[in-house]
Amino acid sequence: MPELIAPTSRLHSSWLGAQEEWGADAPMDGAGLGFEDDVDSPEGFAAWVERLHGYGDRTLPVEHGRVHATYWWIAEGDTYLGAIDLRHYLNGFLLDAGGHIGYSVRPSARRRGLATWALAAALHEARLLGMDRVLLTCDPGNEPSVRTIERNGGVLEDVRETLIGPKRRYWIDL
């Protein structure tokens, strides 16, 4: 049975397997992975996991361009299936293109309803943080993501050109 867990170094090997499925340069939305992050070595991976934990602590500063966010991994036993993050507030870029929540499911675990389930869980956490609505975005041609967002109550605001290309923008009232 899948569950949302805090990022953990214990899943390093499985996480690398997921990254290999996506391809080295593919975005892993919701994972919090930056270009500078060393995830190949156990030490680098552990340091990255610790940074992810720190992003959720509103008493700590975050790097330029980042916002406070809570990260979860979708896992089943010792298998990493994907990631989802909840950004506590929006900066200009996130308001335009990125939204409050990002998620991804590794290719071999898709078509099981994991993204829909994980998004519902993240929306619950957003309510607990006192948020009254959240923004989600996806590429116009990403029909699985459109279905995931709409199944969770997403209402399309618009489709617009952003710094990272065209995006469908949805609001979900909590």
Side-chain angles (χ1 to χ4, degrees):
M1 180 125 221
E3 59 183 330
L4 288 185
I5 63 169
T8 174
S9 295
R10 176 177 60 83
L11 297 184
H12 185 209
S13 177
S14 182
W15 189 94
L16 288 173
Q19 185 185 44
E20 193 172 297
E21 284 182 29
W22 268 296
D25 295 330
M28 296 170 66
D29 294 332
L33 184 63
F35 293 112
E36 70 287 349
D37 290 316
D38 165 25
V39 293
D40 294 326
S41 74
E43 300 79 18
F45 192 81
W48 173 61
V49 164
E50 282 306 307
R51 276 194 304 283
L52 292 179
H53 291 253
Y55 293 140
D57 185 343
R58 301 277 295 259
T59 66
L60 300 174
V62 292
E63 296 102 32
H64 178 71
R66 284 201 178 263
V67 299
H68 288 96
T70 304
Y71 291 88
W72 297 279
W73 288 355
I74 306 165
E76 198 163 42
D78 287 336
T79 303
Y80 172 91
L81 302 174
I84 189 163
D85 74 325
L86 170 62
R87 299 159 195 136
H88 300 180
Y89 49 90
L90 300 176
N91 59 21
F93 170 77
L94 293 173
L95 179 60
D96 184 50
H100 284 99
I101 298 173
Y103 55 85
S104 59
V105 174
R106 74 189 290 170
S108 63
R110 292 179 182 161
R111 304 187 65 89
R112 294 176 45 190
L114 292 170
T116 300
W117 166 79
L119 178 55
L123 293 172
H124 174 73
E125 294 297 325
R127 284 184 201 95
L128 294 177
L129 282 175
M131 300 169 82
D132 57 1
R133 69 182 196 148
V134 294
L135 174 67
L136 284 94
T137 69
C138 68
D139 291 343
N142 187 344
E143 287 303 318
S145 206
V146 167
R147 285 192 302 273
T148 294
I149 296 167
E150 290 179 351
R151 284 181 183 142
N152 276 284
V155 175
L156 182 66
E157 178 181 56
D158 62 15
V159 179
R160 68 173 64 168
E161 191 62 38
T162 73
L163 290 172
I164 56 174
K167 292 292 175 187
R168 294 176 65 93
R169 298 175 71 254
Y170 289 88
W171 288 97
I172 299 177
D173 289 325
L174 302 176

